[in-house]
Structure formats: structure tokens, C-alpha cells
Amino acid sequence: MTDSKEMILEVRDLCKEYPSFRLENVTFSVPKGSITGFIGRNGAGKTTTIKSVLNLVHKKSGEIRFFGLDLDSHEKEIKERIGYAGGAIDYYKKKRIRDLIAVTKRFYEHWDDEACRKFMNAFELSEEKMPSELSEGMKVKLNLVLALSHGAEFLILDEPTSGLDPISREELLDVFEALRKTGVSILFSTHITSDLDKCADRIVYIKEGRILASDAMDRYLSDCKAAGYGETLEEVMLHFEKKEFSFGAPESTEQPL
Amino acid sequence: MSNLLHKELKLAVSPLSWFFLAAAVMTLIPGYPILLGSFFVCLGLFQTFQTFREANDILYTTLLPIRKRDAVRAKFLTVLFFEGLSFLFMSVFTVLRMTVLSSASPYVTNFLMNPNPVYLAFVLLVFLSFNVVFVGGFFKTAYKIGKPFILFIIIAMLLVAVSESLHHIPGLEFLHTPSGEKLGLQFAVLGAAAVLFIGGTFLSEKASEKRFESIDL
């Protein structure tokens, strides 16, 4: 078991209730230096969990700690050290990127202009453009630039690869891998199992608002294989999630000849 | 907090909010229900709240390294900034009409409210109703602006009607006096309105913080 001091994120018994959906005692952790894939089918509770973790939705109960600090009492300090991207950038789409950066940087004590320029160049982004002029993949990269320029140690990404073409997805996963090598930890949600095959070393699997697994990827897959659930993540997911559909087709009224 | 105000002015504030500051000049219009100027200032601020919603500003602001409740304070700060500026302009125009322009022919006969400290007191009450009914109402959902604005319009129009009616009641003529005769009483009314404005806005801000904490974005 990893010591709690090495945990970037610890979520314990997180509960959140909506009229038709609820998170039940969601518990998982993200170790430092890992790329953790947060997987589950659409509507399983990935976004609700991430929004709860970021204090964007009001949790019913539970404990959330970043870097060993409680979110409720250290919100400002924690936000200085993390970055969030909900897929493509979806705010101030009609403002120039230059203005967005100029405003955003004032809030971060450790904003690094040099790093910002470096990432803008690496991602081939122009400050003169507006987010509305960017492709979906470029919007995700802009979000990453904003997060990385303030030296975020931990990135939380909600379905960053959804809607991207295969090349952009591949590029983005390469970026994750490169970031891990610089010491950045990543939690990213997805319903695309091949994203995790490519770069994740840990998995948190959520189904219908409950955590099914929170483990090292290799160990989880070998356990599933031994239990006969499947050999790949896709097979495991199909084992747990696949439903048989019956639409009540009327019985044939034809009489045999 | 200065970073948040800078953010609001640079990204969020609608140009119409600046434009409607010009409504303060309505204080100088002769024979006109001049309190409507304060309503138009609020109409300009309403446009900024539309920008907040359309640009997904609340999400952007909440993700910045601030406490969630600071997002509420930023909005109140923006509103107070514009209300303060327009109040300053209206005060200057009021002083002009009470002094150098007091005997100017268009202003000599005026059956409607004259600009004086009581007028400024009513301006504060219109702004207070905006801060409580509209801004406070907005933070019940952080996206619905129609219903709270309609409620504000009703209250603001009632205030205009009251401001134009009270001084016709015997004994309350001093509310209308344009020169310095009843200045002491008029400043007492302004002082009471200022206390109400500060207290009411403070309570609305605290209530909005509480509502916003429980909202799911």
C-alpha cells in the first residue's frame, strides 16, 4: 500500500444525490506520478465525481484531499497546484487567447510566461486566435497550456479525448506520457478503453455511481483474466456492462404451412 | 479581489454597461422622471449578467484559484463599481442643478421630482433593489436571469412612482425642494437610504454566497 503522503488525490466515501442518479461512497486515490484512467460507460458518474472533486457541485458527504490537504479548507491553495480541462475549452470562446492568458495569469503565483510560450509553440497555438476558431483537439491543448503554465502538478481531465479524431487522440496521449515524465500526475476520464491501454498505469472503474475497482492497471487486468472476465479492458467492460436487449417483438402469428 | 475586478472588466463586462452609465445625465433632463436614469444603469448591468451566462463565466471563475464564494463577491464588486460610478455622476449633476443651474429657465417650474439628496436616496433604493432582487435572485441558479429581472423592473417602477408621488402629500413637500432650504432633512433621508443600501447589499451578498455554495455547476 502506498503511503498517504505520496497521494495526490484521495477521495473517501463521496456521496452525491440527484433525483435520478447518485454517487455512493465513491472511494479512490491517485498516487503521485501516475496516469490514472477514470473509466465507465456514459452516465456512470465520471463527470459528477470530477465536478465534486473540484467543488463545482455540492457533495452530500465525503472527504476529498489533494496533496494531503482537505479541499473544503484549502480550496484556493489546492487550485493553485492543479489544472482542470473539461474536454474542449468552453468559456469565453469569443475572446482572444492573448486576453484569456493575460487575465488568467494574474491569479497564479507561479505562472511561468516562458513555459506558456513554450507550450503554445509546441501545440502550434496562436495567441491572436479565439477559442471558437480552434478545432476540438486544439481547444483541449489550449486548456492544457493554461493548466501547465501555472505549474500544475496534477491535471484532472474530463473526457479530453472525446470527439477527437484518431490522430489527435494519439497525439494527446503522447502529450500525457511526456507530461508524466516531467513529474505531472494525471487523472483523466474516458469511456474509450484504448486510451487507457496506451498510457494509463492505474485504473479507477465506476459503474452506476459506485467504484468497481481502483487499482494498478496490470494487476487489475491479471486479476480479471484469472477470474475469467476477459483479457483486455474492453472485454472486461463488456463483461460487466453489456446488457441483453429485448424489445418484446410480437410472436409470429403465421400458421405453418 | 482586485484581480477578480480586473477579470470582470477585461473579459465579462458588456460594453452596454459602460454605455448605460451615460443614463446618469438624465438627472439634467427638465420635466422628466429622472429616477429612471438609475433604472437604465441597472439595465446596462443586466447585459453583463447575460455575458456571464453566455460566456460560461461562472465556470471559468470558479475554476480559478479562489474560494468558490469569491466568485459571488466578484459579481457584487462589479455591480457596486458601476453603481458607485453612476451615483458619483448623478451626485455631480444634482449639485449642478441645485446650485449654478437652479435658476435656469427649464428648471424653474418642475412638477416632477427635483434632483436633491432625496433623489439620490431613491437612486440608492433602486440600486438596492437590483442588488437584492436581481443579483441575489441570479445566484439561486447562477443562470436564470429573466424572472429576477422582471421582479426588479416591477420594484424599480414602483419606486419611481413612489418618488414622484410622495412630495405631493401635504407635509412631505420638503422631499421635492430643489434649493438648500430643507437640506438637513433631505440629507437625513439620504443617510437612512445609504444605511439601507449598505446593509441590504451586504445581506444579499452573504445570502448569495450561501446559495452559490449549494448550487451544482
Side-chain angles (χ1 to χ4, degrees), chain A residues 33-173:
Chain A
S34 71
I35 296 181
T36 301
F38 189 26
I39 198 160
R41 64 184 302 175
N42 294 330
K46 301 187 294 295
T47 297
T48 303
T49 303
I50 285 179
K51 283 187 165 183
S52 302
V53 157
L54 291 164
N55 203 16
L56 294 177
V57 302
H58 189 71
K59 66 181 191 289
K60 185 184 171 199
S61 60
E63 190 186 358
I64 297 160
R65 299 178 79 83
F66 286 87
F67 316 106
L69 303 169
D70 180 59
L71 177 65
D72 294 335
S73 49
H74 296 83
E75 185 175 359
K76 186 174 179 292
E77 191 180 339
I78 287 168
K79 284 178 177 174
E80 278 265 7
R81 297 172 66 184
I82 65 172
Y84 163 76
I89 192 163
D90 56 358
Y91 44 77
Y92 287 114
K93 292 177 192 169
K94 293 290 180 186
K95 293 284 177 187
R96 298 225 169 269
I97 293 171
R98 178 190 300 281
D99 293 332
L100 268 179
I101 290 174
V103 170
T104 305
K105 67 189 267 189
R106 291 169 64 109
F107 288 88
Y108 292 95
E109 206 178 315
H110 303 293
W111 184 275
D112 184 343
D113 282 322
E114 190 52 44
C116 183
R117 264 192 298 276
K118 189 182 80 182
F119 287 116
M120 288 288 287
N121 289 336
F123 294 154
E124 296 172 340
L125 283 161
S126 163
E127 284 192 340
E128 296 310 314
K129 285 194 171 181
M130 296 185 284
S132 61
E133 296 170 336
L134 303 177
S135 67
E136 291 306 299
M138 294 301 266
K139 285 177 190 167
V140 177
K141 286 176 180 171
L142 174 57
N143 253 335
L144 287 176
V145 170
L146 292 174
L148 295 169
S149 300
H150 71 257
E153 300 160 50
F154 180 39
L155 296 178
I156 299 176
L157 310 168
D158 190 11
E159 310 226 359
T161 54
S162 291
L164 300 190
D165 63 71
I167 310 295
S168 300
R169 262 180 59 208
E170 193 73 11
E171 279 178 2
L172 195 62
L173 296 173

Side-chain angles (χ1 to χ4, degrees), chain B residues 196-211:
Chain B
L196 274 177
F197 175 79
I198 293 167
T201 301
F202 176 78
L203 290 176
S204 177
E205 199 274 331
K206 289 292 161 203
S208 299
E209 279 183 18
K210 211 169 178 180
R211 288 172 189 152

Side-chain angles (χ1 to χ4, degrees), chain A residues 16 18 51 54-58 75-76 79-80 84 90-92 95 99-100 103-104 106-108, chain B residues 3-4 6-7 10-12 55-57 59-60 62-68 213-217:
Chain A
K16 168 73 189 167
Y18 289 111
K51 283 187 165 183
L54 291 164
N55 203 16
L56 294 177
V57 302
H58 189 71
E75 185 175 359
K76 186 174 179 292
K79 284 178 177 174
E80 278 265 7
Y84 163 76
D90 56 358
Y91 44 77
Y92 287 114
K95 293 284 177 187
D99 293 332
L100 268 179
V103 170
T104 305
R106 291 169 64 109
F107 288 88
Y108 292 95
Chain B
N3 281 341
L4 278 169
H6 172 265
K7 185 228 99 188
K10 187 93 181 170
L11 291 182
N56 217 354
D57 171 86
L59 177 69
Y60 169 75
T62 310
L63 287 169
L64 290 169
I66 57 170
R67 293 165 301 180
K68 196 174 174 184
E213 286 286 350
S214 61
I215 285 174
D216 294 336
L217 296 176

